[in-house]
Amino acid sequence: MGKRHEAIGIKQAIRFEWMQKAANLLLAGLDAKTIRQELHEFLADRKGNGSEGERSDQTRTFVVNNLMKIWVSPDSELLPFRDASLAILRDNPSMSLPVHWGMVSAVYPFWLNVARQTGRLLALQDQVTQIQITGRLKEQYGDRQTVSRYTRYVIRSFVAWGVLKDSESKGCYEKATSINITDANAAILIFESALQANPDAKGTLGMLQNNPAFFPFQIPVMSGDFVSQRCERIEVVRYGLDDELLKLKSTCY
């Protein structure tokens, strides 16, 4: 495992359509240098709130670097996962949002941690505030100013992706309508993203099935055997009477 589990990394809000653009350029067979150039041109007049307008070279570079890291040049151990994600985007584009969610979560586990704290709070109350989410994350990452700023970028990304909604009160959010994952392979990718985001590369099936980080989705119930049979990168280990532990095979690294 690399340093991505400790890193925060997301330095600007990332809109869903920008993720789509990066993946589509990759699916078109373009090389990394060309994709980087295309993304710079694409984002030259697009702001993080979706409006048109010039953005600084620095902020554009932050976003392009994030998009490149997510789709084009992730860490080597993530390449098989990236390729499987691309295959679903190509074959079942209706599942693009959970696929992108899984990819950004694997590359930047901070995204998944923000989602986990958001999901936990939403399980207890109808609305969550940025302050509540940030407070929980500071327990994990320390009371750094960057934690507050980068958490805000991820939350604004959630809103831009349509999985959170702004409420009438500033800095307060509500859950949007859940997205039903109808493709089993897309659901397995979501599970795998959590394993990839975990330094231990493992988790019980029950915890994955009910992971609050997946609050935007309705995930079908699956057995551990089904998951391991459909994904060669995951193995299942049984313990106790009916507990199943999913773990990434060491060949993934």
Side-chain angles (χ1 to χ4, degrees):
M1 290 291 183
K3 296 180 180 179
R4 59 190 168 87
H5 297 94
E6 290 79 37
I8 296 179
I10 297 174
K11 297 183 178 180
Q12 289 291 318
I14 301 175
R15 296 187 65 83
F16 175 74
E17 60 266 28
W18 302 348
M19 294 279 287
Q20 283 278 67
K21 179 69 173 181
N24 286 338
L25 291 169
L26 194 59
L27 284 169
L30 300 181
D31 60 67
K33 182 178 179 180
T34 303
I35 292 175
R36 182 178 290 276
Q37 182 179 350
E38 289 279 341
L39 289 174
H40 269 286
E41 294 177 1
F42 176 72
L43 293 170
D45 58 354
R46 289 174 169 85
K47 294 187 175 182
N49 60 7
S51 65
E52 293 185 1
E54 290 292 325
R55 63 163 58 218
S56 72
D57 290 342
Q58 183 183 45
T59 57
R60 184 170 73 247
T61 298
F62 284 153
V63 176
V64 171
N65 286 345
N66 282 150
L67 294 172
M68 293 293 293
K69 184 70 174 175
I70 293 166
W71 277 113
V72 184
S73 51
D75 291 353
S76 58
E77 73 265 20
L78 291 176
L79 289 174
F81 175 70
R82 190 276 311 270
D83 293 344
S85 300
L86 281 174
I88 293 181
L89 284 182
R90 182 186 63 241
D91 299 336
N92 193 354
S94 67
M95 291 288 100
S96 58
L97 198 147
V99 170
H100 286 298
W101 186 274
M103 199 66 213
V104 67
S105 297
V107 173
Y108 292 112
F110 181 72
W111 176 285
L112 198 71
N113 286 331
V114 177
R116 181 180 296 111
Q117 300 304 340
T118 303
R120 283 176 176 168
L121 288 163
L122 285 171
L124 300 171
Q125 55 203 52
D126 294 333
Q127 296 183 340
V128 297
T129 67
Q130 182 176 307
I131 293 174
Q132 289 174 325
I133 298 168
T134 302
R136 291 192 170 198
L137 287 162
K138 284 183 176 179
E139 295 175 5
Q140 178 178 354
Y141 292 93
D143 192 4
R144 292 179 280 168
Q145 186 179 4
T146 51
V147 174
S148 297
R149 185 164 67 250
Y150 293 173
T151 299
R152 184 174 73 251
Y153 294 146
V154 175
I155 293 172
R156 294 314 304 171
S157 299
F158 291 172
V159 174
W161 287 39
V163 300
L164 279 186
K165 298 186 295 184
D166 288 308
S167 73
E168 294 181 358
S169 301
K170 185 176 181 180
C172 191
Y173 307 94
E174 302 171 352
K175 182 183 175 183
T177 303
S178 296
I179 298 163
N180 188 20
I181 299 180
T182 56
D183 183 295
N185 290 329
I188 292 170
L189 274 180
I190 283 285
F191 288 167
E192 185 180 353
S193 73
L195 300 179
Q196 296 284 4
N198 185 345
D200 295 329
K202 60 186 178 182
T204 66
L205 179 62
M207 289 181 65
L208 291 169
Q209 194 85 51
N210 300 293
N211 194 329
F214 304 146
F215 74 88
F217 308 112
Q218 292 181 0
I219 301 176
V221 176
M222 294 177 287
S223 67
D225 282 339
F226 181 82
V227 172
S228 62
Q229 289 167 6
R230 298 287 287 260
C231 180
E232 61 184 10
R233 296 175 300 281
I234 297 176
E235 61 180 322
V236 58
V237 179
R238 286 182 181 78
Y239 63 99
L241 291 175
D242 55 2
D243 290 323
E244 295 175 301
L245 182 75
L246 300 185
K247 57 185 295 188
L248 295 177
K249 295 180 180 178
S250 59
T251 53
C252 292
Y253 303 116

